[in-house]
Amino acid sequence: MKAIWYAAAALGLAVGVGDVATALAQKPGGTLRIYHRDTPASASLHEEATVSTQLPFMAIYNNLVVYDQQAKRNTMETIVPDLAKSWEWDATKTKLTFKLNDGVKWHDGKPFTSADVKCTFDLLLGKGKQRLRKNPRAIWHRNVEDVTVNGPLEATIVLKEPQPAYLTLLASGYTPIYPCHVSAADMRTKPVGTGPFKFVEFRGNEIIRLAKNPDYFKKGKPYVDMIEMRIIDNRSTRILAFQAGEFDMTFSQDITIPLLKDMEKQAPKAICETKPQYVHRNLIVNREAAPFDNPQIRKAMALAIDRKAFVDILTEGKGDIGGAMLPLPEGAWGMPPEELAKMAGYGGDVAANRAEGRKIMESLGYSAAKPLKVKISTRNIAIYRDPAVILIDQLKQIYMDGELEVVDTPLWHAKVARKDYQVGMNLTGVAVDDPDANMVENYACKSERNYTGYCNPEVEKLIEAQSKIVDVAERKKVVWKIEQILNDDLARPVIYHDRAATCWWPYVKGFVGHENSIYNNWRFEDVWLDK
Amino acid sequence: MGAYMIRRFLLMILTLFGMSVLIFVMLRVVPGNIVDILFDSAGMVNPADKKRLEAELGLDKPIVQQYVTWITNMMKGDLGYSYVSEKPALDEILPRIPVTAKLAALALFFSVLFGVPLGVISAVRQNTGLDYFLRVVSLSGLSLPSFWLGLLILMAFVQYAGWIPIYSDAPRGFFHELFLLSIPAAAVGFRASALIMRLTRSSMLEVLRQDYIRTARAKGASANSVNYDHALRNAVLPVVTIIGIEAAFLIGGLIVTETVFNIPGVARFLVEAIRWRDYPIVQNLVMLIAVVTVVVNFIVDMAYVVLDPRIKYEG
């Protein structure tokens, strides 16, 4: 027995020494050089909805809780403390109390307190003196009644209804805590956070620079002295520069599947990880105007789509077919193949589906000689245009004669909001792999980001219902029911989910790319350079 | 001459006024404004918030009032604030001007340095192997798109040779900057030098057939004296005109070159500002370019007098 205890102690010691050795192996210093693909609209994470803002600025801030930066998948189990050292639900599951870390300072030296937590939520709920210019994810916090404080180191979020998954939204990089004493305008241009890196400069079209925060409350972190993100909007130039060793890391998933082959040839030593983006190509259909106000025509269109052809042509077979939620295996809420096959346009033989689609169209008086003229609108960007062209080709199979209309990209959302389109090819990115993010943000009637204005009372009820369910299996059933209705309604039918690669050189250590979101892993506090 | 200069100057002012109206109106005719774009970046549209932001930026005021405000403030040296960066427009524009100015000057210098002598050589050695070779080179200069040429140069010098880095914002001194800019300048100047070379060649060929050249040769003047003192001086006038026009044209070429070589100059910045409908930046920058173009053309007109004493501007 004694021998077993000795062995266990020795093993424990070995593991401990191993940990220390690993910790000691992290070399401090150096500049992490990443290229950026475009100029972000601002540095205010609460006001933007793009990884172009998230990647360069997430490291300035902290959340109450955050997804573990070292875990590959974002789940309820990988949520770890950040500004909060612990959290607790009350018995009614409507009060979420956070105990906050002591001694945390904002980058300008002022102390962080629970008042800042309250200010942040007041800002998001539109209750405070300050006002955000844009509040794209206001709907995430629709269930928040109030935030109360109990001394400087305790804050409680009071919900109107139980919402067990609310914590997943708080853990997203999109939910940082803002300081009370800095204006919303300054947060767009000179952000102040508590995070591992301080804002140094942001020159549009040129560079974003962050410097190590020496007073960071997580002792010993971060490791690199500086993060430099040079903005290079020409993709060929930036990839060449990475291959020539001018950068340590590419922008998030900037390397598409076709480009990956070239990267592997030109930079064989680079580490490139191909992962889902949780950005899906989908159709938006104007259900309020003819001809797509007719459910029969919508059904015929759904039957014409050959998703595999899209995946094969555009992603060389690497993309994923699924519904609105991220498909399996990376997605926690994706439908299994047998469930997916039950939805119109997903299962069965494509030829048979199209034959059925043609029958519907014939019954409505259309034929090859007398096709239905349809305008397919999309943004004037290759990732939008390419699938739109394939769609036009597929629609011909059911007597729909598509005409491509490319829209100047900044006008896209305004055009869609005006309902000035028949069918649009669209992209949707999702920050958190949970229905409370995806379903609520994109399909709830009052969501700012539901720019197609889709509103189905039945879906609305189911969205609210799933939000209250604790049991995952039971919640999945409701979510899949919503998926079914969305598909029947042709509410942003998903064509495919894309995959792409992020690359870095082997000397970049401590970076872990998340595989079910591209919005939550840019804290860079564990990254170090083995040079 | 004095009266001509005054008339020319007044014309310049009128041209600039016309330009200011044109820029202002055209920017607002283009669909969408900064508010659309800011909301687009958030993937949302909220009509109430949109109106509030338009009011905050003064975009809800009548267009004439907006124009008068712009011109009045510009006269006072106040160029307004960038809608995107929320910094003074002057602070955004000024640091970028020297970068583009140096690049443009270097490109123009290269184009004249290679264009004029090679044009003369090509004309003097007409229909020889060297002439054919130079004509092919100049033709390729005119036909190769600068973005493609730029990418080829980048592949060669950045990726394979590793000689030059992608432009960094703080070159280490004058020579380092010259080195960084020389290759992009050569890329953008290639087209202009080809044009100048072809024009110099055809102009020289025309002059070389004139009687006074034959006379100069008959008098026993050396070949160099005939070609450079007698012929080139007379052949260079249309070339000077083209150089003036090319200086303005270079801005167009620089947009592509600055993008491909990632140079933080004003040309690329202008395109980005147009994309964002950042009116204060676009209006003021285009006005600046208009001023430079008008002034350069004025200088070119004045240079004629110096280059050709026969030219006299009537009052």
Side-chain angles (χ1 to χ4, degrees), chain A residues 379-395:
Chain A
R379 285 181 154 189
N380 195 10
I381 310 175
I383 50 172
Y384 284 75
R385 274 191 321 259
D386 295 350
V389 170
I390 297 172
L391 176 71
I392 288 172
D393 180 60
Q394 294 192 0
L395 292 182

Side-chain angles (χ1 to χ4, degrees), chain A residues 330-350:
Chain A
E330 290 90 352
W333 303 91
M335 298 169 95
E338 63 277 12
E339 287 291 328
L340 208 55
K342 290 178 192 166
M343 301 209 293
Y346 281 86
D349 178 30
V350 174

Side-chain angles (χ1 to χ4, degrees), chain A residues 251-263:
Chain A
F251 187 77
S252 170
Q253 300 201 308
D254 196 42
I255 312 301
T256 60
I257 300 294
L259 283 174
L260 190 59
K261 281 182 189 161
D262 179 62
M263 183 64 95

Side-chain angles (χ1 to χ4, degrees), chain A residues 405-416:
Chain A
E405 181 197 29
V406 286
V407 180
D408 194 13
T409 183
L411 309 174
W412 175 244
H413 285 110
K415 186 180 171 75
V416 172

Side-chain angles (χ1 to χ4, degrees), chain A residues 275-311:
Chain A
K275 290 181 174 170
Q277 295 179 301
Y278 210 166
V279 176
H280 56 71
R281 271 67 173 160
N282 53 68
L283 296 183
I284 50 174
V285 180
N286 189 349
R287 302 162 76 249
E288 290 172 26
F292 291 99
D293 55 344
N294 183 340
Q296 287 293 94
I297 290 191
R298 296 203 298 266
K299 189 177 178 191
M301 189 164 95
L303 289 166
I305 296 167
D306 179 2
R307 290 176 167 80
K308 193 173 176 311
F310 278 94
V311 167

Side-chain angles (χ1 to χ4, degrees), chain A residues 319-334:
Chain A
D320 302 293
I321 295 172
M325 299 303 294
L326 185 69
L328 304 171
E330 290 90 352
W333 303 91

Side-chain angles (χ1 to χ4, degrees), chain A residues 188 203-204 237 379 413, chain B residues 40 86 96 159 169 260 277:
Chain A
R188 290 195 290 271
R203 275 185 279 142
T237 306
R379 285 181 154 189
H413 285 110
Chain B
D40 193 83
E86 301 181 48
R96 290 170 164 99
Q159 195 184 21
D169 63 335
V260 171
R277 311 286 194 273

